[in-house]
Amino acid sequence: QVQLRESGGGLVQAGGSLRLSCAASGRTFSSGAMGWFRQAPGKEREFVAAINWSGTGTYSADSVKGRFTISRDNAKNTVDLQMNSLKPEDTAVYYCAAAPLWYSGSVDARNYNYWGQGTQVTVSS
């Protein structure tokens, strides 16, 4: 089992920044992926960013490229999402997730086995 806990959400004005952190405990996947997804009210959960175990490979959604950066610290078992230049359309509950494999499918929520409870991010205009 893998337990994931997100932190760092909150309310910020448009153009501001937030840093989300995901703390993992329990079993870890040495060849796997860690990802961030988000879900806005009335919308489906969507991919935001993912990173492989070594931190050498990342994927990002087009909507956040150049603004969001995913990183990980395996010594601390954490995965962070630095969010800059936030927009009102970034408002959502953000979820951290873990998958056993890293590949092109790491952008698909169906390939993730474990999920955190989510943290709310609200961007005001």
Side-chain angles (χ1 to χ4, degrees), residues 88-104:
E89 51 263 44
D90 294 318
T91 295
V93 177
Y94 284 70
Y95 297 90
C96 175
L101 297 175
W102 167 259
Y103 68 118
S104 59

Side-chain angles (χ1 to χ4, degrees), residues 6-18:
E6 304 94 338
S7 61
L11 173 64
V12 64
Q13 289 187 334
S17 298
L18 281 175

Side-chain angles (χ1 to χ4, degrees), residues 8-122:
L11 173 64
V12 64
Q13 289 187 334
S17 298
L18 281 175
R19 189 177 183 90
L20 304 183
S21 186
C22 174
S25 60
R27 177 186 178 188
T28 56
F29 299 124
S30 60
S31 61
M34 294 292 294
W36 285 96
F37 293 79
R38 66 187 183 187
Q39 187 167 18
K43 295 187 177 180
E44 294 187 352
R45 189 169 298 189
E46 65 172 355
F47 170 75
V48 176
I51 190 167
N52 65 356
W53 174 257
S54 63
T56 58
T58 61
Y59 292 121
S60 295
D62 288 343
S63 59
V64 306
K65 281 181 179 176
R67 301 189 299 122
F68 292 11
T69 302
I70 189 171
S71 61
R72 69 187 299 164
D73 185 336
N74 288 337
K76 298 180 180 179
N77 286 333
T78 57
V79 177
D80 290 351
L81 184 69
Q82 177 66 43
M83 305 186 296
N84 299 327
S85 302
L86 283 161
K87 304 175 181 179
E89 51 263 44
D90 294 318
T91 295
V93 177
Y94 284 70
Y95 297 90
C96 175
L101 297 175
W102 167 259
Y103 68 118
S104 59
S106 297
V107 302
D108 190 337
R110 294 171 296 180
N111 294 320
Y112 286 78
N113 302 73
Y114 300 98
W115 293 83
Q117 294 297 310
T119 186
Q120 176 70 46
V121 171
T122 303

